[in-house]
Amino acid sequence: TWRYAQRLVSPTLHREGDTFGSQFALSDSLIAVGDYAAERDGKIVGAVHLYALDDGVWQHTQTLHMVSPRHLAGFGAWVDIDGDTLVVGEANELMVGGWADNRAVHVFERKQDGWQPADIIVRPANVAAAPEQRDKAQRE
């Protein structure tokens, strides 16, 4: 049976339009929580908050940001984990109710001192999301 175990809360101040928990990925001992509208240095740049399982309790261990943050970047629009690799989607532009085309994927690798940036895969400028996907994201 399923039972309630724990409530995870954002390690940053809550504000109107908070997106903590809008996306998440789970592995055996890690939860990565997307917060694509998180603020840093007065800009909305996004973040991913990492929680590790420690003696049966999920503890916040690290917050990831873009290497070169940009306002309305949408970093954390989606997340996924595979072993010691974490990928984080960056939206092209935040919009009311969501984001426009995906712009880039940020790859992080787990090292002894935590998760470190490993690569950024940027969508080529001449490739855009299908219009029906873009329209659907804007409606939602």
Side-chain angles (χ1 to χ4, degrees):
T1 61
W2 289 91
R3 65 175 177 82
Y4 179 84
Q6 184 178 341
R7 178 177 182 238
L8 300 181
V9 296
S10 174
T12 60
L13 293 174
H14 294 279
R15 61 176 179 67
E16 185 176 337
D18 190 358
T19 59
F20 176 82
S22 60
Q23 298 289 321
F24 67 91
L26 174 68
S27 73
D28 291 340
S29 60
L30 180 74
I31 298 176
V33 181
D35 186 358
Y36 65 84
E39 290 185 20
R40 183 176 189 195
D41 299 328
K43 295 180 180 176
I44 299 173
V45 296
V48 173
H49 306 286
L50 304 178
Y51 296 81
L53 190 58
D54 183 18
D55 199 25
V57 178
W58 293 98
Q59 301 287 337
H60 180 262
T61 59
Q62 190 175 356
T63 297
L64 303 177
H65 295 281
M66 295 172 61
V67 173
S68 299
R70 104 188 129 74
H71 186 61
L72 298 178
F75 178 81
W78 57 266
V79 295
D80 200 3
I81 304 169
D82 185 14
D84 290 334
T85 303
L86 171 70
V87 292
V88 179
E90 173 192 342
N92 191 36
E93 178 183 359
L94 282 179
M95 304 179 75
V96 175
W99 57 87
D101 305 339
N102 289 327
R103 178 180 181 276
V105 174
H106 298 257
V107 181
F108 293 82
E109 292 179 346
R110 187 181 348 223
K111 305 290 184 183
Q112 286 196 302
D113 57 343
W115 291 85
Q116 302 297 323
D119 199 3
I120 300 173
I121 303 165
V122 179
R123 185 188 73 217
N126 62 344
V127 176
E132 61 275 3
Q133 291 174 330
R134 186 174 45 253
D135 293 344
K136 180 182 177 198
Q138 291 174 359
R139 285 191 306 271
E140 294 175 352

